[in-house]
Amino acid sequence: MKKNIKNKISKEPFLLEDNSLLQTTYTTDLRDRQSVRTTFNMSEKANDALNWLAKNYHITFKEVIDSLCLELSSEPKENHFLDIVAEVAKKIDSKSLGKSTRKTQVISKKSLCILKDLSKKHSIQRDLLIELSILLFKAQIEENIEKKREKHKEAGNRFSKFLAKAEAFEKELKKLLGDDDPIIMRFGIAMQIIYNLSYAIEAELKDGTPIDPDEW
């Protein structure tokens, strides 16, 4: 028994060395995650968009850029985002983006490689590639937000009509059952939940306060 335990202890530290595939994958993954500094030449619009994305998603600039690079490097058949960026890059005059400034950012080594590879493959300047990616990604998000806002606005209008009918129905129930009936009490609780949701919709449309799905 002691001999078996001794053999097991002596061999286990070398399991990773014996598994060359695991070792290579693990080492490569660590290298890809390493942070590197690189300088981008981007317009004020792109820098503002980068700040907006980081602030609204509560993530760092590095995480924004790394996420965009992963999006750009996804499978070609499904990568509509890269197609759009490449198409815009071929048509746009970089001067139209405005004055650019050099700014050093921390990104992963993998992201840096992705940008270099895609820049070479599609004949797009690296900095223009990341600039357009940031601007288009923000534009897509804002478009989705606006679409959602319009739907919530319509939902708010329907809620107003629904509440008017619900209030009229509540009055009818009170005449039928009286104020102290348990049905009226339960209905009152349901109405309060609906009122709270209606107020939440109004707040979202007015100042952008997110609707908490768990708040009743």
Side-chain angles (χ1 to χ4, degrees), residues 83-94 96 124 128 132:
D83 292 338
I84 296 171
V85 172
E87 185 178 352
V88 173
K90 291 175 182 177
K91 296 178 180 179
I92 197 170
D93 180 1
S94 58
S96 66
I124 304 171
L128 181 60
L132 292 178

Side-chain angles (χ1 to χ4, degrees), residues 76-162:
K77 292 182 180 179
E78 303 173 358
N79 201 343
H80 303 300
F81 185 68
L82 176 58
D83 292 338
I84 296 171
V85 172
E87 185 178 352
V88 173
K90 291 175 182 177
K91 296 178 180 179
I92 197 170
D93 180 1
S94 58
K95 293 181 180 179
S96 66
L97 296 170
K99 184 180 179 181
S100 59
T101 55
R102 293 174 62 82
K103 195 170 183 179
T104 300
Q105 299 286 0
V106 175
I107 64 175
S108 69
K109 193 171 184 179
K110 182 176 182 179
S111 292
L112 187 61
C113 292
I114 288 172
L115 289 173
K116 286 181 179 179
D117 291 343
L118 291 176
S119 174
K120 184 177 180 181
K121 182 178 180 180
H122 295 276
S123 300
I124 304 171
Q125 290 181 355
R126 186 202 67 167
D127 292 357
L128 181 60
L129 180 64
I130 193 63
E131 166 139 359
L132 292 178
S133 297
I134 292 170
L135 291 172
L136 289 171
F137 191 60
K138 179 176 181 281
Q140 281 185 353
I141 291 173
E142 288 179 323
E143 183 180 355
N144 290 336
I145 290 173
E146 185 57 30
K147 286 180 180 178
K148 186 176 181 180
R149 188 179 185 281
E150 288 300 315
K151 289 181 179 179
H152 281 200
K153 186 177 180 180
E154 175 60 26
N157 293 334
R158 296 188 185 189
F159 257 100
S160 297
K161 295 177 182 178
F162 172 76

